[in-house]
Amino acid sequence: MKVRSKLLKFLVTGTALFSMSLPSYVHAQTSTSPVKAQSDPPLSQPKYAYSDAIRETVFVESNLDTDDNGKKDRIAMDIIRPKETEGSLRVPVIMDASPYYERLGRGNESEVKDKDKDGINEMFPLWYDNYFVPRGYAVAQPEMVGTNQSDGCPTTGGPEEIESIKATVDWLNGRAKAWNKDGKEVEAYWTDGKVGMIGKSYDGTLANGVAATGVEGLKTIVPIGAISSWYDYYRYGGIPYYKGGPSGLARTVVNSKRQAQCEPVRQQILQESDDATGDYNSFWDKRNYINDVKNVKASVFLIHGLNDYNVKTNQFSRWWAELAKQNVPRKIWLAQTGHVDPFDFRRSEWVDTLHQWFDYWLKDMKNNIMDEPMADIERSAGTWNTYSTWPDKQADYVKINLAANKKGETGELTKHSVLKSPSISFTDNPFLTEKQLVQTDASLNKNRLLFLSEPLSKSVRFSGTPKIELSTATNAEDTNYTAYLVDYGTDTRVNHEARGEGITTLTEEDCWGESAGADDACYKKTVKNTHTSDYEIVTRSWMDAQNYKSLSVTTSLSPGKPYQVRWDALPEDYIFKPGHRIGLVIAGSDDNWTVPDTTKAENTILLPRSSLRLPVVGGEQAIDF
């Protein structure tokens, strides 16, 4: 199975793989503190019976007609709230909007609303309802346009999907109409209008998009492994990861009874997404929520796996950087896992922290959540450090030059000038595996270039986005480039490339909240999956040389003419340990992750004008080679 099959886990298969570590909350550097007691700081308490909670389904009228049937699409939303809201109690709403409630499901156990398909929703997937409803919250689960009980057709991240969920926030604040299953118009008299959106993957993506509308009443969002720009989900540097992605996803999530009805919408998506060039165009611009980050009024608690190669790290880093420019109140957790929910990699601390977060932003409880360090970063399995922000304020870009080795075999990474260093050539072979590409075997150099630092005398941490610049000439009109930043050194690491993406699911369960009927509060425990390896691919990146001017413009290359090709690698926060070596692998097109180029071009790299720029904490003085 090709490595890129991992890309399908979130938005094609929709399965969710989560993890958990033993609870540890590491402050400053490596000291571990216990889970906070219920009384310090003050937290909302479970005083409303979950078994008595009111469960209802409403259908909110939107201004959409995505299936072009002449009727406004209605958006289905299941709600669970304390019985006391029928009296004087008014509660805030925790919302998890999703396209996955009919099938595929949510969470590590793939929970759906109607498991036996009898037309009755037996449960609210995930643990939020079990835990938070007794503590005086309502939980709402809207179904994205075109999915499950909602009308219309999905558009894969389009403004229609965002508008469909925004309409439910509007209804909760008295700005839209809704009806129950009996056709009776209903109002949200039971809520105080404060909404917090949460969700992993597509669910968190909807939260990002709705926040970018600036809708009134949305007080906070908690996006977990979420998309901020759909172009960056399906493309990198002008290269598609695979073909037919957006239209295929629309087919995957649509209401199973409306597959044929929504086929015209999928065909339009297929055409407008433009697999042929891989360029950024108006289709993708409409699906770029970063364009509207200035509208965000909600606070943001962002969680992402540093080894997430489904929703890759550029999704959170660009969104986070723009939120910082807008001075949005925010918090971030970065884990060593892949596409995994914090409920399954840091469960106790996650429940406690999220509880404080929602109490602060939705109940106005004056706890200390915003006084804590902004960033939590997992350094090894279960060991977390806290920092004032991300990326680290002390990170400065250091230019690392690419030099030829005196023996003409493996190249060198150096801070010294390489003005007299020669050019080096290699022939594109897209079918080499990643394992082959990163080997130090010099016989592979005809199809890739490897540059190594000297063994490090001290730790080197980088925090942020590495940048690649190649001065390159090719014998074809088109060629692609791949770059891997590699840590060469034996260590025990989180095994994020194995099934589970860093976690192993156990049979034993623990419970979080109250249970009633089929909707129990118990979930399988997980443990971190680690392995000892001789190297780690720290970050990856790809670039279509025909997009050297812009991701929006394809320009044919003149064979033999040198071009400056610049691109960003995927963001990271990583520590190279003493004795390890930093490596940079440069190759051609990559069938492991992307749609490969077919030219099999011969590429020549002019070393004096080629470099790696690494955001090193401590700058120049922190690197000793």
Side-chain angles (χ1 to χ4, degrees):
M1 181 180 293
K2 294 183 184 300
V3 176
R4 71 168 180 270
S5 65
K6 292 174 65 179
L7 292 167
L8 307 180
K9 288 179 182 174
F10 153 48
L11 291 179
V12 175
T13 70
T15 55
L17 304 176
F18 303 143
S19 71
M20 183 193 81
S21 66
L22 294 176
S24 62
Y25 189 59
V26 181
H27 294 269
Q29 291 301 316
T30 56
S31 60
T32 302
S33 67
V35 176
K36 301 176 184 65
Q38 284 282 331
S39 59
D40 182 24
L43 294 170
S44 55
Q45 299 300 310
K47 56 184 180 180
Y48 305 102
Y50 181 77
S51 58
D52 293 339
I54 295 169
R55 296 161 173 82
E56 58 189 332
T57 303
V58 302
F59 299 86
V60 179
E61 185 177 76
S62 72
N63 60 8
L64 305 168
D65 183 12
T66 53
D67 52 7
D68 199 27
N69 67 354
K71 300 179 181 179
K72 292 182 178 180
D73 296 337
R74 291 186 179 182
I75 309 305
M77 179 165 62
D78 289 295
I79 299 163
I80 181 169
R81 54 188 172 89
K83 180 184 67 174
E84 288 79 0
T85 56
E86 287 298 283
S88 60
L89 180 66
R90 299 294 176 260
V91 295
V93 178
I94 296 170
M95 176 184 289
D96 186 351
S98 181
Y100 291 142
Y101 285 133
E102 178 188 4
R103 57 192 187 280
L104 304 180
R106 307 313 300 130
N108 196 19
E109 296 167 43
S110 302
E111 293 182 335
V112 296
K113 291 181 177 180
D114 182 11
K115 186 176 181 179
D116 59 8
K117 305 301 180 186
D118 63 354
I120 300 172
N121 291 341
E122 289 83 16
M123 67 183 307
F124 285 76
L126 303 177
W127 60 279
Y128 308 131
D129 56 311
N130 309 91
Y131 186 85
F132 284 106
V133 170
R135 288 166 169 80
Y137 291 86
V139 170
Q141 295 182 339
E143 297 166 350
M144 188 185 78
V145 65
T147 68
N148 206 17
Q149 301 178 92
S150 293
D151 297 334
C153 300
T155 59
T156 310
E160 300 84 2
E161 294 183 351
I162 303 306
E163 178 60 30
S164 73
I165 305 305
K166 175 180 176 294
T168 67
V169 179
D170 283 335
W171 176 74
L172 290 167
N173 283 273
R175 298 187 297 269
K177 294 182 177 181
W179 292 261
N180 63 18
K181 290 183 176 180
D182 297 327
K184 179 182 177 181
E185 187 171 346
V186 290
E187 295 181 354
Y189 57 85
W190 44 266
T191 177
D192 60 15
K194 294 177 182 176
V195 179
M197 293 187 68
I198 188 171
K200 174 177 176 280
S201 300
Y202 214 140
D203 304 15
T205 301
L206 293 169
N208 282 345
V210 174
T213 70
V215 62
E216 294 292 337
L218 183 60
K219 299 301 182 181
T220 191
I221 63 170
V222 185
I224 303 165
I227 291 170
S228 58
S229 170
W230 283 83
Y231 179 86
D232 294 327
Y233 183 78
Y234 286 112
R235 309 278 192 268
Y236 200 105
I239 309 171
Y241 290 122
Y242 50 93
K243 294 186 177 180
S247 59
L249 176 58
R251 182 178 181 83
T252 298
V253 303
V254 70
N255 179 304
S256 56
K257 297 178 181 179
R258 292 202 298 273
Q259 290 275 5
Q261 183 180 351
C262 292
E263 179 62 22
V265 176
R266 292 195 295 274
Q267 288 301 316
Q268 183 178 2
I269 291 172
L270 183 63
Q271 180 180 1
E272 293 181 358
S273 58
D274 186 19
D275 281 338
T277 69
D279 289 352
Y280 186 91
N281 59 23
S282 60
F283 172 89
W284 299 108
D285 200 54
K286 293 175 183 177
R287 291 160 171 79
N288 186 351
Y289 311 134
I290 298 172
N291 291 337
D292 297 314
V293 73
K294 63 182 180 299
N295 297 328
V296 174
K297 301 173 184 176
S299 62
V300 179
F301 185 3
L302 188 156
I303 300 91
H304 215 100
L306 286 168
N307 294 298
D308 190 342
Y309 278 86
N310 184 337
V311 180
K312 299 177 181 61
T313 54
N314 54 351
Q315 296 287 353
F316 88 79
S317 65
R318 294 180 59 215
W319 180 244
W320 179 260
E322 294 303 316
L323 292 171
K325 291 179 183 177
Q326 301 298 321
N327 202 30
V328 172
R330 62 201 184 280
K331 187 175 180 65
I332 188 169
W333 280 13
L334 299 175
Q336 285 297 318
T337 52
H339 197 58
V340 182
D341 191 290
F343 187 70
D344 296 298
F345 64 66
R346 202 185 185 192
R347 186 169 294 183
S348 295
E349 189 67 29
W350 170 240
V351 173
D352 183 66
T353 304
L354 186 64
H355 187 175
Q356 290 185 64
W357 184 267
F358 280 146
D359 276 359
Y360 184 92
W361 289 104
L362 299 180
K363 284 183 171 287
D364 297 321
M365 295 182 69
K366 302 306 179 184
N367 55 46
N368 62 1
I369 191 70
M370 297 307 293
D371 299 325
E372 296 177 354
M374 186 183 294
D376 282 30
I377 302 176
E378 188 179 22
R379 287 294 167 210
S380 60
T383 299
W384 293 77
N385 291 357
T386 62
Y387 302 91
S388 62
T389 189
W390 189 90
D392 196 287
K393 291 180 179 179
Q394 302 302 314
D396 289 323
Y397 276 98
V398 176
K399 183 180 180 183
I400 301 174
N401 296 310
L402 315 184
N405 186 283
K406 294 178 181 178
K407 297 180 181 180
E409 295 179 351
T410 300
E412 297 177 353
L413 293 178
T414 177
K415 292 192 296 181
H416 302 299
S417 172
V418 292
L419 294 178
K420 296 182 180 180
S421 188
S423 59
I424 305 180
S425 298
F426 68 94
T427 301
D428 182 6
N429 179 357
F431 304 113
L432 290 176
T433 65
E434 283 193 333
K435 186 175 181 179
Q436 289 175 306
L437 287 170
V438 302
Q439 295 303 310
T440 56
D441 182 356
S443 67
L444 295 166
N445 288 349
K446 63 182 180 180
N447 295 122
R448 65 95 211 262
L449 303 178
L450 170 62
F451 302 90
L452 284 173
S453 73
E454 293 295 321
L456 301 173
S457 64
K458 57 185 178 181
S459 295
V460 174
R461 177 188 169 209
F462 81 89
S463 178
T465 304
K467 297 180 180 294
I468 312 294
E469 179 172 2
L470 298 182
S471 181
T472 177
T474 182
N475 66 349
E477 293 185 351
D478 185 20
T479 191
N480 295 345
Y481 293 109
T482 298
Y484 299 147
L485 185 64
V486 186
D487 176 6
Y488 289 96
T490 303
D491 203 355
T492 299
R493 303 174 170 99
V494 173
N495 192 10
H496 54 83
E497 293 190 5
R499 179 177 178 83
E501 299 188 57
I503 60 97
T504 299
T505 302
L506 308 176
T507 57
E508 182 184 358
E509 293 184 334
D510 59 7
C511 304
W512 300 85
E514 300 178 20
S515 302
D519 199 332
D520 68 64
C522 304
Y523 294 86
K524 292 178 180 179
K525 294 182 178 182
T526 66
V527 293
K528 280 283 170 59
N529 180 359
T530 62
H531 68 151
T532 299
S533 57
D534 294 334
Y535 67 87
E536 170 90 343
I537 299 177
V538 177
T539 186
R540 299 167 170 88
S541 64
W542 305 269
M543 184 67 193
D544 182 350
Q546 287 194 331
N547 288 104
Y548 75 95
K549 290 183 178 180
S550 167
L551 293 179
S552 301
V553 178
T554 294
T555 304
S556 294
L557 307 176
S558 297
K561 179 181 177 180
Y563 295 89
Q564 290 298 119
V565 184
R566 304 176 180 87
W567 73 95
D568 290 346
L570 288 167
E572 247 285 2
D573 196 296
Y574 192 86
I575 297 175
F576 295 92
K577 294 182 177 180
H580 290 211
R581 305 175 78 180
I582 300 174
L584 178 67
V585 175
I586 302 293
S589 53
D590 182 8
D591 190 50
N592 297 285
W593 289 96
T594 68
V595 177
D597 187 82
T598 59
T599 62
K600 298 185 179 180
E602 180 176 336
N603 299 294
T604 300
I605 308 300
L606 287 69
L607 296 179
R609 298 179 61 191
S610 301
S611 64
L612 163 69
R613 294 180 184 269
L614 203 59
V616 176
V617 177
E620 288 271 359
Q621 302 304 313
I623 293 185
D624 57 0
F625 59 80

